[in-house]
């Protein structure tokens, strides 16, 4: 049975903006299930609801509970009383390190506000592969 079809039988609907995200309304609370390659993230308003959904998913699919989410796709997840705090600081620092800019000084405006660019006077970028790989990583 297809995962998307099965979760729809549980009451989940596809997000209109992301087909790997499923939304389940329980009373006035929104609950989310995100499927990414082989990983599934489930957030619910109530622990009993989470356990119920996990049990139903486990009846059809091989699953392993890895506990509370801490890191996913370059995002660090921290819990606090009001909810979750998501940070991509670690991921951003890895990109800065990868391009050899970790020793650069901070700047309030990270770009030249008056660029001096010309099609004839510009120096070609020495490693276009690195630039393209960073764009794909984002």
């Amino acid at each position: 049975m297809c995962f998307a079809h099965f979760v729809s039988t549980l009451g989940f609907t596809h997000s209109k903006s992301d087909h790997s995200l499923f939304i389940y309304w329980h009373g006035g609370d929104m609950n989310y299930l995100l499927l990414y390659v082989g990983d599934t993230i489930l957030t619910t308003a109530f622990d009993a609801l989470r356990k119920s959904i996990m049990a139903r998913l486990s009846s059809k699919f091989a699953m392993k509970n890895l506990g509370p989410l801490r890191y996913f796709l370059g995002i660090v997840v921290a819990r606090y009383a009001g909810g979750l705090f998501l940070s991509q600081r670690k991921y951003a620092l890895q990109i800065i390190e990868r391009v050899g800019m970790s020793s650069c000084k901070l700047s309030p405006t990270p770009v030249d506000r008056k660029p001096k660019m010309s099609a004839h006077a510009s120096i070609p970028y020495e490693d276009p592969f690195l630039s393209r790989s960073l764009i794909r990583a984002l």
Side-chain angles (χ1 to χ4, degrees):
M1 175 177 267
C2 171
F3 185 85
H5 176 70
F6 181 74
V7 296
S8 71
T9 66
L10 301 179
F12 283 91
T13 58
H14 266 119
S15 163
K16 290 179 182 166
S17 60
D18 184 348
H19 275 284
S20 63
L21 178 64
F22 300 88
I23 302 168
Y24 176 73
W25 286 94
H26 181 73
D29 297 310
M30 260 175 131
N31 304 277
Y32 301 97
L33 189 143
L34 178 66
L35 179 65
Y36 183 79
V37 186
D39 295 326
T40 305
I41 296 174
L42 175 63
T43 63
T44 60
F46 303 101
D47 196 45
L49 177 61
R50 182 186 54 80
K51 288 178 181 177
S52 170
I53 293 170
M54 286 177 61
R56 292 164 82 184
L57 287 170
S58 296
S59 72
K60 293 286 181 192
F61 304 99
M63 293 181 61
K64 186 176 186 180
N65 185 353
L66 299 176
L69 182 64
R70 289 183 283 287
Y71 190 78
F72 183 74
L73 295 177
I75 300 169
V76 175
V77 180
R79 289 173 166 53
Y80 69 101
L84 300 174
F85 178 76
L86 307 177
S87 171
Q88 287 188 296
R89 183 178 193 281
K90 180 178 177 181
Y91 180 63
L93 290 173
Q94 287 173 342
I95 291 174
I96 290 168
E97 178 71 31
R98 187 170 156 197
V99 296
M101 296 181 69
S102 57
S103 62
C104 291
K105 294 180 181 176
L106 296 175
S107 172
T109 306
V111 295
D112 185 357
R113 294 186 303 172
K114 296 178 185 171
K116 297 142 194 89
M117 298 175 75
S118 164
H120 304 290
S122 296
I123 299 169
Y125 190 69
E126 64 187 57
D127 187 1
F129 176 76
L130 178 61
S131 175
R132 289 185 202 119
S133 71
L134 292 173
I135 293 168
R136 266 180 266 149
L138 301 174

